[in-house]
């Protein structure tokens, strides 16, 4: 078992058969094209790229939501079978190591379950705790993600977007995973709430030692929460390395454009400027 890395991805390829648009028949579309990267235990790695870059497909392959075309994925030092023929027992075992937090917490949470019921279900699935111990653990999880105990009886529709995402994070933490996969986990939230959730993730990583693989199109978000970054475009890695190196001395034109797009102090969107000029006139 590798002692340094919790996740190792080697020569990962994911291809699809897609319908041709110009004539009858199918063609092969390569969504992820021979990529490799590794995430250290307790570390934080951002996978950055625009829509269609292959970043979300990559994480879906890792977690087993998509089958692997070729390549190797090792988690906790062991190769994972990702051909779609994984049984329920193996999936549960993997869930105790890797958990995923999705972009839209309202869609990922069961609308018919209260917060307490959602967390209790995760604890029953991934632990051997008895009812009384689960009830106490639910309170601990709520405290860990800064959810008031008064909200444990609430349903997703009664929560704000930020509160729902905190519940989703708490549900993932119920399994005591070693790795959290976060697929655009703050992109659906307001900017102020984004900052709060990112601060929470930093705190969780610091206190639990869980590693974070953060998928995002937003370089500012990745810069805030990650130590290292992998930049993807058209299914390939165009640049990777520690955040200070990539931001301080980007090697690809694509990365330079991403850096240039980060809002800076005094920056205003063009639409806002035009609106202001129209008001003055």
């Amino acid at each position: 078992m590798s002692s340094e890395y919790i996740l190792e991805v080697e020569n990962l390829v994911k291809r699809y058969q897609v319908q041709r648009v110009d004539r009858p028949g199918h063609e092969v579309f390569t969504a992820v094209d021979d990529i490799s990267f590794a995430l250290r235990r307790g570390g934080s790695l951002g996978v950055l790229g625009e829509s269609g870059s292959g970043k979300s497909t990559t994480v879906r392959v890792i977690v087993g939501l998509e089958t692997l075309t070729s390549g190797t994925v090792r988690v906790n030092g062991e190769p994972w079978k990702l051909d779609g023929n994984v049984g329920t027992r193996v999936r549960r075992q993997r869930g105790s190591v890797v958990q995923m937090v999705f972009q839209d917490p309202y869609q990922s949470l069961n609308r018919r379950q209260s917060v307490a019921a959602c967390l209790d279900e995760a604890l029953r699935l991934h632990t051997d705790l008895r009812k009384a111990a689960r009830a106490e653990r639910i309170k601990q999880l709520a405290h860990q993600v800064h959810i008031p105990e008064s909200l444990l009886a609430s349903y997703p529709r009664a929560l704000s977007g930020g509160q729902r995402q905190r519940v989703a994070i708490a549900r993932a933490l119920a399994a005591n995973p070693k790795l959290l996969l976060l697929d655009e986990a703050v992109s659906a939230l307001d900017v102020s709430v984004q900052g709060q959730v990112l601060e929470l993730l930093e705190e969780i990583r610091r206190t639990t030692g869980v590693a974070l693989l953060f998928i995002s199109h937003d370089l500012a978000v990745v810069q805030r929460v990650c130590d290292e970054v992998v930049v993807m475009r058209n299914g390939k890695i165009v640049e990777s390395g520690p955040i200070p190196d990539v931001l301080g001395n980007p090697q690809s034109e694509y990365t330079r454009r991403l850096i240039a797009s980060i809002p800076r102090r005094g920056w205003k969107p063009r639409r806002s400027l035009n609106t202001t000029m129209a008001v003055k006139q």
Side-chain angles (χ1 to χ4, degrees):
M1 180 180 295
S2 170
S3 60
E4 184 177 1
Y5 297 105
I6 183 62
L7 173 66
E8 298 163 276
V9 175
E10 293 182 359
N11 308 117
L12 180 65
V13 176
K14 174 59 183 177
R15 297 191 179 99
Y16 297 94
Q17 290 282 340
V18 297
Q19 184 73 42
R20 290 182 180 274
V21 296
D22 55 343
R23 61 183 183 275
H26 294 79
E27 61 183 350
V28 175
F29 170 69
T30 303
V32 180
D33 191 0
D34 194 26
I35 69 169
S36 301
F37 61 85
L39 172 58
R40 290 180 174 84
R41 297 178 184 275
S44 55
L45 173 68
V47 181
L48 179 71
E50 61 194 349
S51 178
S53 63
K55 59 187 188 302
S56 290
T57 301
T58 298
V59 76
R60 289 176 65 85
V61 168
I62 292 170
V63 81
L65 295 176
E66 297 278 1
T67 57
L68 182 71
T69 301
S70 64
T72 304
V73 174
R74 283 192 295 273
V75 180
N76 211 23
E78 298 183 358
W80 274 20
K81 183 180 179 182
L82 297 169
D83 60 3
N85 296 317
V86 178
T88 301
R89 182 179 63 85
V90 173
R91 289 185 182 276
R92 288 186 178 181
Q93 290 174 344
R94 291 179 176 183
S96 66
V97 180
V98 177
Q99 284 287 310
M100 189 164 181
V101 180
F102 295 91
Q103 177 178 357
D104 188 346
Y106 194 61
Q107 294 296 325
S108 65
L109 297 176
N110 188 335
R111 303 178 191 183
R112 298 181 180 180
Q113 282 185 326
S114 67
V115 174
C118 171
L119 299 181
D120 187 68
E121 180 181 61
L123 289 170
R124 284 188 285 110
L125 185 64
H126 294 292
T127 75
D128 297 324
L129 297 176
R130 296 187 178 274
K131 185 175 181 179
R134 292 200 307 271
E136 183 60 32
R137 179 60 178 148
I138 287 169
K139 293 179 182 178
Q140 294 173 356
L141 287 167
H143 177 74
Q144 190 172 13
V145 298
H146 307 306
I147 295 175
E149 288 187 25
S150 59
L151 291 180
L152 289 175
S154 300
Y155 289 80
R157 64 178 177 272
L159 305 177
S160 68
Q163 289 170 337
R164 291 173 195 149
Q165 198 60 294
R166 290 172 187 270
V167 173
I169 293 170
R171 180 181 59 183
L173 293 175
N176 292 316
K178 294 179 174 60
L179 171 61
L180 280 183
L181 306 179
L182 303 117
D183 189 6
E184 298 281 8
V186 298
S187 64
L189 306 176
D190 292 338
V191 174
S192 60
V193 180
Q194 280 188 8
Q196 295 169 10
V197 174
L198 292 175
E199 183 177 349
L200 171 65
L201 291 170
E202 290 177 306
E203 177 185 323
I204 289 170
R205 179 192 165 206
R206 185 174 62 253
T207 57
T208 67
V210 66
L212 305 178
L213 182 67
F214 207 100
I215 309 300
S216 181
H217 66 278
D218 190 334
L219 180 53
V221 168
V222 170
Q223 181 182 7
R224 166 73 184 271
V225 77
C226 297
D227 298 328
E228 297 182 287
V229 64
V230 168
V231 182
M232 291 188 66
R233 188 184 189 193
N234 297 330
K236 295 179 178 289
I237 293 177
V238 298
E239 192 158 358
S240 64
I243 287 282
D245 293 349
V246 173
L247 297 188
N249 186 28
Q251 300 300 301
S252 77
E253 177 60 29
Y254 179 66
T255 306
R256 286 193 284 270
R257 291 205 307 269
L258 289 176
I259 294 172
S261 69
I262 301 176
R264 292 166 173 79
R265 186 180 299 275
W267 177 88
K268 291 184 179 180
R270 183 177 298 276
R271 185 172 59 181
S272 298
L273 292 173
N274 291 340
T275 302
T276 302
M277 291 175 64
V279 171
K280 288 182 179 179
Q281 292 174 355

